Amino acid sequence: MKNVRLYAKGIRKLIGLVIIVCVIGGVLGYQSTNNQSPANSPNYPENENGQTYGSSADAASPETEPELISAIGVDGTAGYVLKKDLDGEQPKSPQDAIAIQNSRSPGGRAISLYDVEGATVIGVFHVGGK
């Protein structure tokens, strides 16, 4: 009877260990397929000025977005906005973030819409607001 209990206890430990290994393996596998590194980021084309351009939808994260992001202006013109203009002023502290938020217009803001070379303004793109 004692041997049966030891055997059952050993089987339970083995099953528990297998479950733990499967869970850890699944989590690691999920993370490796969903964490794209900059090396796996899209290969955006470059314009004559050396700026990357394309859709931000292709980026794995904000860090891998192109410098010129495709956009449609307020009048329907297709062009590009500068990532730095789209991102706007970045806070350096929580207090800074609150000050920036409080200074924003409830109607949003307008930024320039550029051609693919990022030099000629061809329209206006509206960010934020209702």
Side-chain angles (χ1 to χ4, degrees):
M1 195 61 133
K2 186 174 184 179
N3 287 341
V4 172
R5 283 189 205 144
L6 286 175
Y7 179 75
K9 188 175 183 181
I11 292 294
R12 283 195 300 261
K13 285 183 180 181
L14 180 62
I15 290 171
L17 180 63
V18 168
I19 290 172
I20 290 170
V21 168
C22 289
V23 168
I24 291 172
V27 168
L28 293 176
Y30 177 79
Q31 287 179 343
S32 70
T33 59
N34 286 315
N35 285 341
Q36 292 187 359
S37 68
N40 294 335
S41 64
N43 188 16
Y44 292 109
E46 287 187 12
N47 63 19
E48 290 182 7
N49 297 317
Q51 296 168 301
T52 55
Y53 64 92
S55 172
S56 64
D58 298 330
S61 67
E63 293 78 24
T64 61
E65 290 178 335
E67 295 167 90
L68 289 163
I69 298 172
S70 57
I72 304 295
V74 294
D75 65 353
T77 302
Y80 298 87
V81 293
L82 290 170
K83 178 178 172 23
K84 65 180 182 171
D85 291 348
L86 189 60
D87 290 347
E89 182 182 2
Q90 297 299 301
K92 307 217 181 341
S93 68
Q95 295 79 12
D96 199 18
I98 292 170
I100 291 169
Q101 185 67 30
N102 289 338
S103 70
R104 288 189 176 155
S105 167
R109 60 191 170 92
I111 60 174
S112 296
L113 184 73
Y114 294 92
D115 66 358
V116 72
E117 296 307 323
T120 304
V121 176
I122 59 171
V124 175
F125 181 78
H126 193 263
V127 180
K130 296 180 182 178

